[in-house]
């Protein structure tokens, strides 16, 4: 078979795995792959630390909700459906992904990261109740890993719109502070 090349197809190899990874995860696919591969190798101790980090994030969020100055939980409930004046990093990341056509990349990276967490060496095995409880205990781990891959997918967009370095750091910090 004779294949004609031109300047648009020169060097294009459809069998190149990098091409497929970039399609799945976006231009920052290497960073996503590093996190996913590392997440698949988490030890039980690392999972505990990641769960603790997720717990700290949740407590900080709850403290903000129940604090006095902003009306606490009642203020939150009364403001449902209205734009937030202080959006959270994941909300900003979601808006950025949508704006720049990366929502699919974030979703795929999150799914693959979740699979790597659930199939890693320290993951729950078997279908018994202990395995179910252990997998429920990994929700914090999954949350931290998902935030990390979201940050990685969008890392080249830092400084565009509301996706600032602070937002990127807030998404990635629990992962980088926990995993050496």
């Amino acid at each position: 078979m004779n294949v004609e090349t031109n300047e648009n197809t020169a060097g294009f190899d459809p069998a190149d795995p990098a091409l497929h990874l970039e399609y799945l995860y976006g231009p920052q696919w290497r960073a996503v792959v590093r996190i996913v591969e590392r997440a698949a190798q988490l030890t039980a101790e690392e999972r505990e630390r990641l769960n603790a980090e997720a717990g700290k994030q949740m407590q900080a969020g709850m403290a903000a909700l129940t604090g006095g100055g902003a009306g606490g939980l009642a203020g939150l409930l009364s403001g449902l459906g209205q734009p937030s004046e202080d959006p959270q990093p994941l909300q900003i990341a979601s808006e950025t992904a949508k704006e720049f056509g990366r929502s699919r990349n974030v979703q795929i990276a999150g799914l693959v990261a979740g699979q790597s967490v659930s199939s890693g060496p320290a993951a729950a095995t078997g279908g018994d109740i202990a395995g179910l409880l252990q997998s429920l205990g990994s929700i914090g781990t999954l949350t931290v890993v998902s935030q990390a891959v979201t940050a990685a997918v969008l890392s080249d967009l830092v400084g565009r719109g509301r996706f600032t370095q602070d937002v990127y750091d807030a998404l990635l910090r629990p992962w980088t502070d926990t995993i050496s």
Side-chain angles (χ1 to χ4, degrees):
M1 176 180 206
N2 188 4
V3 177
E4 213 175 293
T5 62
N6 63 34
E7 62 190 49
N8 293 329
T9 60
F12 174 78
D13 180 5
D16 181 9
L19 176 68
H20 300 290
L21 290 170
E22 184 170 352
Y23 174 76
L24 291 174
Y25 304 131
Q28 301 304 312
W29 63 268
R30 286 176 183 85
V32 175
V33 168
R34 277 192 298 275
I35 293 169
V36 168
E37 288 177 345
R38 182 62 179 89
Q41 301 169 8
L42 292 172
T43 65
E45 180 184 328
E46 289 169 331
R47 287 172 179 269
E48 286 179 29
R49 291 193 323 247
L50 288 170
N51 280 325
E53 281 296 318
K56 288 179 196 175
Q57 285 181 316
M58 184 182 296
Q59 285 178 343
M62 289 304 293
L65 290 178
T66 58
L73 188 55
L76 172 72
L77 294 175
S78 68
L80 284 178
Q82 298 176 11
S84 173
E85 293 177 18
D86 184 26
Q88 297 298 309
L90 275 174
Q91 179 184 350
I92 293 170
S94 177
E95 292 167 0
T96 302
K98 184 177 179 181
E99 180 180 352
F100 290 93
R102 302 265 181 95
S103 295
R104 180 185 50 80
N105 302 124
V106 168
Q107 291 169 347
I108 291 171
L111 289 170
V112 173
Q115 184 62 33
S116 72
V117 168
S118 67
S119 64
T125 57
D128 60 1
I129 192 72
L132 175 63
L133 292 173
Q134 185 175 354
S135 69
L136 289 174
S138 292
I139 290 174
T141 299
L142 180 57
T143 299
V144 171
V145 173
S146 179
Q147 286 179 341
V149 295
T150 296
V153 167
L154 302 174
S155 63
D156 63 313
L157 300 175
V158 170
R160 296 182 120 182
R162 296 188 318 160
F163 194 72
T164 63
Q165 185 69 44
D166 289 341
V167 171
Y168 172 82
D169 291 343
L171 291 171
L172 198 57
R173 187 174 299 112
W175 172 259
T176 56
D177 286 355
T178 306
I179 304 301
S180 51

